Amino acid sequence: MAESICRALRDGALQGEHAPALTIKDSIASPFGFHVFTHLLTQLSSNILAAKSQSRGLVLVAFSRSPSFYLDLLNRKGIDVASSQKWIEILDCYTDPLGWKDALLASENGGSLSNEASTGASLCRNVKDMDKLYSSIIELGKGIVGQGKVRFCVAIDSVNEILRHASISSVAGLLSNLRSNDRVSSIFWLSHSDLHEDRVTAVLEYMSSMVASIEPQNQSANGRRCNWESLPLLEHNYWKGRFHVRFKRRNGRVRVMSEEFHVEQSAINFRSISSEDEIVNRSLLPKVQFNLQLSEKEQIDRAKVVLPFEHQGTGKPIQIYDGRRSLTDGKSEAEPVSTGILQTNENSSKGEIIYLRDSDDERPDSDEDPDDDLDI
Amino acid sequence: MATSKPWTSSFSRNLATVPSSAPGLKYGPNGTIFISSGIPDLDKILGGGFPLGSLVMVMEDAEAPHHMLLLRNFMSQGLVHKQPLLYASPSKDPKGFLGTLPTPGASKDDKSRDRDPENEHGLRIAWQYKKYFGENQHHFDSNRDVKHEYCHDFDLRKPLEKHFISGQHIDCVSILDSPNLAALRDRCAPFLAQFPRNDSSISSAGRISIQSFCAPQCKYSNMEWDMLSFIRSLRSMIRSSNAVAVVTFPPSLLSPSFSRRWQHMADTLLSVRAIPDEDKEMAKLLTGYQDMVGLLNVHKVARINTQVPVILDATTFSIKLQKRRFLVLESLNQAPIDSSSGTSYGTSASCSGSSKSGALDF
């Protein structure tokens, strides 16, 4: 649910806790992760500008698009980038991530470097060094919000790009350092899950507190058969998909939510799922027992039940049932049964069964309904 | 005189608590000595506690922090019994974790967790001639020890008192920055050398807890064979000492074959799992779903000195926080279903028991 994610990112971290972290993951089957990323980016930016969020600034680490792209995007969405109060900083890891252009220019021009710093962007020339990256991000963030207790958010364009240059354990270290830094309010990143091994995706999910995955509408209809008739349908379905989110809550439970999304003209819309698919967690549960315990209320009720012979002996004449009489006070316990009345077992509806005993000495029949013994 | 606790079957071994010089040890059959895990229910499930000389591994769920609950109780129990502790974690400052350890809670008498009040006052027997004999009921005296020294119930809301932490022999190690595991091995070896296992009496037992052993931010985390050989050497060191090590790890971050290998290395293997929140299906299926925070599975129970395995009636338990404070493990109970087509399971040996009643297939 995009709304819940935005809220979680906006609300940020509590004191003493790690910052909430979101992984957006998509795959080639439904490659709209970047749309979701930009959607969240614009939402968070508008929240920051409207002072509704815990953070006062945003540091965007741009790997897959240039900073000017982002500035244009934000301007198009109506977010004022060049406002009087600086709220966004972009760390440009797109232009020259490994410092090759620098080296080239240096060798050609003999030393004069053209520093292409656009507004609000600072250049990173060595993305292999995670420590340097970390300190640059924190410095930029502090540059926005100043010293003190105010926090800022971090958005990482594409974790896949970092993973081209650094190992997963150092990237995991970077992410956990960012999360545990007390100036960071929330952090989110995008990852394309099919560019890496499963282990990398598992690590990213381990490091994050929310995982949003983008999946196609029907899982089965992916590139299996490409009939000419179904092509327009496939194309129509391509722009739609499912948006699943797993929240790791503080109490240790996992909140699972789903939505449908629809991409139209580079804008993404979310709506709730029309037909609910019940996700049955049968796999989690073994065959379970019935509960043999009693709750408080049940215990009290059980104590109230009067057992067959309990009500006797409380001052009223004691009857000993000898099998000949059927006690008529089945429902009301207080009434004593008049002795000496010989009654026959009567079938209350229609037929009558008249049973005459052979002799009075006879013991009660063993095949009599034993429940007749009970005096309730 | 057998100390019969109402919820075990009538066949239970007499485990006497020998008041030796070292508190917190329980002597079991086959020369096994147990130390408490800090969770009373878990001790019962495992048949007494963690045996000295065993390696306990807990498989974490990436989505839930329940392994921390187990670790906290384990460490607090050790500190309360003054057993030296070695704690390793992938955070920069492991000492900070000591501030979150729980304190022993109120004694058992206060708890309303009375499983079978009926048994204690006798059964209500509807007997025709009872009225002639007056009140002649059998009282079931519960011979519970009033002072439980072996295992305390920890109150997760209150932190452990400072004097338990400050006066203790506590070693904290951060495994974040070590490029290989030699540093950790060098800390574990002298620690374990303090508790050699020989025929003389035990002076004290030691506890090692390693949290999130293959956490991805540790530099050694992609050296899978090295981690495996560390576990093997830890296990062999533990075997010859009077100590217990609890290692937690997230199996989803290992390759499947290595996850299997690690699981084989464990003497006692537990796993914790998260449950979905606000899941209506599950709420219908299980009673007590509201109070559950997770699930605990017992995969293996350590049997070091014997060939006889432990076969548990139930291997899945729900983790609940009673009154938000005390960690309680209960077996899963199905909610009553309205239709009469409910399947019936095998009868239990002790119908008054809860954690070991019936057979659960899993």
Side-chain angles (χ1 to χ4, degrees):
Chain A
M1 304 283 271
E3 284 304 310
S4 330
I5 297 182
C6 293
R7 240 177 293 132
L9 290 177
R10 182 190 74 194
D11 294 338
L14 294 181
Q15 190 70 21
E17 269 192 6
H18 284 335
L22 167 70
T23 300
I24 306 170
K25 74 174 186 186
D26 69 352
S27 61
I28 193 66
S30 187
F32 300 113
F34 192 70
H35 290 85
V36 175
F37 180 82
T38 49
H39 174 86
L40 290 177
L41 185 67
T42 47
Q43 295 281 61
L44 192 58
S45 308
S46 54
N47 280 334
I48 291 176
L49 274 179
K52 277 194 220 162
S53 67
Q54 188 196 40
S55 60
R56 289 275 170 275
L58 174 71
V59 176
L60 174 60
V61 184
F63 275 93
S64 62
R65 304 279 196 284
S66 71
S68 43
F69 170 85
Y70 285 111
L71 296 172
D72 285 339
L73 174 80
L74 291 173
N75 278 328
R76 255 185 294 132
K77 302 273 184 179
I79 296 178
D80 185 13
V81 179
S83 71
S84 53
Q85 234 184 353
K86 206 165 157 54
W87 62 273
I88 182 168
E89 280 281 358
I90 304 182
L91 184 62
D92 180 7
C93 304
Y94 168 83
T95 315
D96 195 11
L98 295 172
W100 290 349
K101 284 188 194 167
D102 236 20
L104 211 57
L105 284 169
S107 64
E108 278 180 7
N109 300 351
S112 65
L113 305 164
S114 59
N115 210 352
E116 296 186 22
S118 45
T119 37
S122 59
L123 209 57
C124 173
R125 288 207 176 83
N126 185 10
V127 300
K128 287 192 184 175
D129 188 353
M130 287 294 115
D131 295 328
K132 185 87 186 1
L133 196 61
Y134 172 69
S135 47
S136 327
I137 296 176
I138 298 296
E139 259 177 49
L140 281 179
K142 285 190 183 159
I144 306 176
V145 297
Q147 300 300 328
K149 291 242 174 207
V150 185
R151 298 182 185 236
F152 57 92
C153 298
V154 181
I156 300 181
D157 185 316
S158 161
V159 175
N160 306 107
E161 298 281 336
I162 315 183
L163 285 167
R164 286 171 63 189
H165 305 295
S167 70
I168 182 64
S169 64
S170 44
V171 175
L174 168 73
L175 294 176
S176 81
N177 286 339
L178 282 173
R179 274 190 84 189
S180 52
N181 190 309
D182 53 3
R183 302 301 299 275
V184 173
S185 158
S186 57
I187 170 171
F188 63 102
W189 60 79
L190 169 66
S191 155
H192 304 292
S193 59
D194 36 16
L195 290 181
H196 293 288
E197 299 174 340
D198 291 337
R199 182 172 175 255
V200 170
T201 316
V203 168
L204 290 175
E205 289 180 14
Y206 180 81
M207 307 298 315
S208 53
S209 64
M210 296 178 274
V211 178
S213 47
I214 292 147
E215 276 156 32
Q217 190 84 311
N218 335 334
Q219 299 279 49
S220 56
N222 283 336
R224 290 277 178 81
R225 270 172 302 167
C226 197
N227 299 334
W228 289 111
E229 301 89 61
S230 68
L231 209 50
L233 185 66
L234 277 177
E235 204 209 335
H236 182 63
N237 282 342
Y238 177 73
W239 298 102
K240 295 195 204 154
R242 291 268 171 111
F243 186 63
H244 297 289
V245 185
R246 296 181 75 92
F247 290 89
K248 294 182 201 174
R249 298 191 58 206
R250 283 188 190 97
N251 60 6
R253 291 194 184 186
V254 176
R255 188 94 199 270
V256 179
M257 297 164 108
S258 297
E259 266 187 329
E260 281 179 353
F261 69 87
H262 187 51
V263 178
E264 4 183 70
Q265 293 178 346
S266 82
I268 187 166
N269 302 320
F270 295 93
R271 63 167 185 274
S272 56
I273 295 188
S274 41
S275 60
E276 282 286 341
D277 282 327
E278 297 276 331
I279 307 168
V280 177
N281 288 297
R282 299 272 172 192
S283 58
L284 267 187
L285 302 173
K287 295 188 265 209
V288 292
Q289 294 293 102
F290 286 100
N291 190 3
L292 297 174
Q293 308 293 310
L294 297 175
S295 68
E296 286 282 334
K297 183 177 175 303
E298 287 165 351
Q299 280 173 6
I300 295 172
D301 289 342
R302 185 165 89 165
K304 282 192 201 145
V305 169
V306 181
L307 294 183
F309 298 102
E310 271 184 352
H311 62 91
Q312 298 180 355
T314 50
K316 304 183 186 68
I318 297 174
Q319 284 90 33
I320 301 176
Y321 180 62
D322 62 358
R324 279 187 234 176
R325 303 181 293 266
S326 68
L327 304 168
T328 51
D329 62 340
K331 297 294 184 313
S332 59
E333 306 105 18
E335 243 176 24
V337 177
S338 57
T339 59
I341 295 177
L342 198 73
Q343 290 190 353
T344 54
N345 282 337
E346 280 191 3
N347 205 349
S348 55
S349 49
K350 285 184 186 57
E352 268 190 10
I353 301 172
I354 301 173
Y355 181 63
L356 301 170
R357 287 192 179 270
D358 294 336
S359 75
D360 277 336
D361 296 334
E362 207 181 62
R363 297 225 200 108
D365 288 327
S366 57
D367 54 18
E368 222 174 69
D369 186 3
D371 281 353
D372 277 356
D373 270 0
L374 298 179
D375 171 23
I376 300 180
Chain B
M1 179 63 128
T3 320
S4 51
K5 299 191 167 70
W7 53 78
T8 55
S9 65
S10 51
F11 259 1
S12 64
R13 291 186 184 276
N14 255 349
L15 298 178
T17 315
V18 173
S20 60
S21 55
L25 297 178
K26 192 198 285 195
Y27 287 80
N30 308 316
T32 325
I33 306 171
F34 294 105
I35 57 173
S36 170
S37 62
I39 306 166
D41 288 331
L42 189 60
D43 284 347
K44 278 190 211 88
I45 294 167
L46 295 176
F50 294 144
L52 286 182
S54 69
L55 175 66
V56 179
M57 299 191 80
V58 180
M59 299 201 284
E60 306 172 16
D61 188 337
E63 294 178 322
H66 301 312
H67 57 280
M68 307 295 280
L69 292 173
L70 299 181
L71 270 183
R72 282 196 188 105
N73 281 301
F74 176 72
M75 287 164 63
S76 286
Q77 184 69 74
L79 293 179
V80 167
H81 282 313
K82 299 194 179 14
Q83 290 162 346
L85 175 69
L86 174 72
Y87 170 60
S89 96
S91 70
K92 289 208 185 81
D93 183 29
K95 269 198 159 29
F97 185 64
L98 297 178
T100 64
L101 296 181
T103 196
S107 66
K108 293 246 187 217
D109 303 317
D110 294 343
K111 281 165 47 169
S112 60
R113 198 159 62 98
D114 225 325
R115 297 280 166 92
D116 303 294
E118 286 298 295
N119 263 1
E120 306 197 89
H121 306 300
L123 293 176
R124 279 171 70 191
I125 305 176
W127 183 38
Q128 197 176 174
Y129 304 106
K130 186 166 81 171
K131 48 191 178 265
Y132 300 108
F133 290 93
E135 296 300 314
N136 202 5
Q137 298 182 1
H138 300 281
H139 286 271
F140 214 116
D141 278 336
S142 62
N143 281 349
R144 286 191 214 166
D145 301 336
V146 175
K147 258 180 84 179
H148 269 260
E149 280 192 355
Y150 177 64
C151 178
H152 293 87
D153 226 351
F154 287 96
D155 184 350
L156 289 161
R157 273 203 184 164
K158 291 201 209 128
L160 196 57
E161 290 151 30
K162 290 275 186 274
H163 69 90
F164 281 119
I165 302 180
S166 52
Q168 287 302 323
H169 197 60
I170 307 177
D171 220 356
C172 290
V173 182
S174 168
I175 48 180
L176 181 62
D177 293 320
S178 49
N180 52 30
L181 288 161
L184 185 58
R185 196 179 280 133
D186 290 341
R187 297 290 281 272
C188 287
F191 180 79
L192 289 173
Q194 299 169 18
F195 321 102
R197 181 185 283 223
N198 41 33
D199 287 332
S200 61
S201 67
I202 302 179
S203 52
S204 74
R207 295 183 186 226
I208 294 183
S209 59
I210 302 179
Q211 179 210 321
S212 298
F213 184 52
C214 59
Q217 57 262 39
C218 301
K219 293 194 170 51
Y220 61 80
S221 59
N222 38 14
M223 298 163 31
E224 297 191 303
W225 283 110
D226 285 16
M227 292 196 284
L228 184 65
S229 74
F230 173 81
I231 292 180
R232 193 169 186 283
S233 66
L234 178 68
R235 186 176 180 225
S236 60
M237 287 194 285
I238 286 266
R239 269 286 187 281
S240 54
S241 63
N242 286 323
V244 172
V246 173
V247 178
T248 74
F249 68 99
S252 55
L253 300 186
L254 295 171
S255 59
S257 60
F258 272 93
S259 166
R260 269 285 171 223
R261 287 185 173 106
W262 287 36
Q263 292 172 39
H264 275 297
M265 281 282 132
D267 294 319
T268 301
L269 184 64
L270 308 171
S271 70
V272 286
R273 276 189 314 186
I275 52 173
D277 198 21
E278 294 182 25
D279 185 343
K280 296 190 182 47
E281 281 289 324
M282 224 171 169
K284 268 194 288 182
L285 206 59
L286 297 175
T287 52
Y289 169 74
Q290 270 73 24
D291 305 321
M292 279 168 56
V293 293
L295 295 173
L296 175 87
N297 272 43
V298 179
H299 297 279
K300 249 207 260 185
V301 178
R303 301 292 271 175
I304 301 179
N305 293 344
T306 168
Q307 299 262 7
V308 180
V310 168
I311 301 182
L312 298 172
D313 294 326
T315 55
T316 310
F317 300 93
S318 62
I319 304 174
K320 294 190 185 179
L321 286 178
Q322 212 183 35
K323 295 183 199 165
R324 303 196 187 195
R325 286 187 192 181
F326 301 106
L327 192 64
V328 160
L329 299 173
E330 293 181 358
S331 68
L332 297 175
N333 282 315
Q334 189 172 15
I337 30 181
D338 296 319
S339 63
S340 57
S341 62
T343 49
S344 63
Y345 296 97
T347 52
S348 56
S350 57
C351 56
S352 58
S354 75
S355 57
K356 289 197 186 179
S357 50
L360 271 182
D361 247 38
F362 192 47

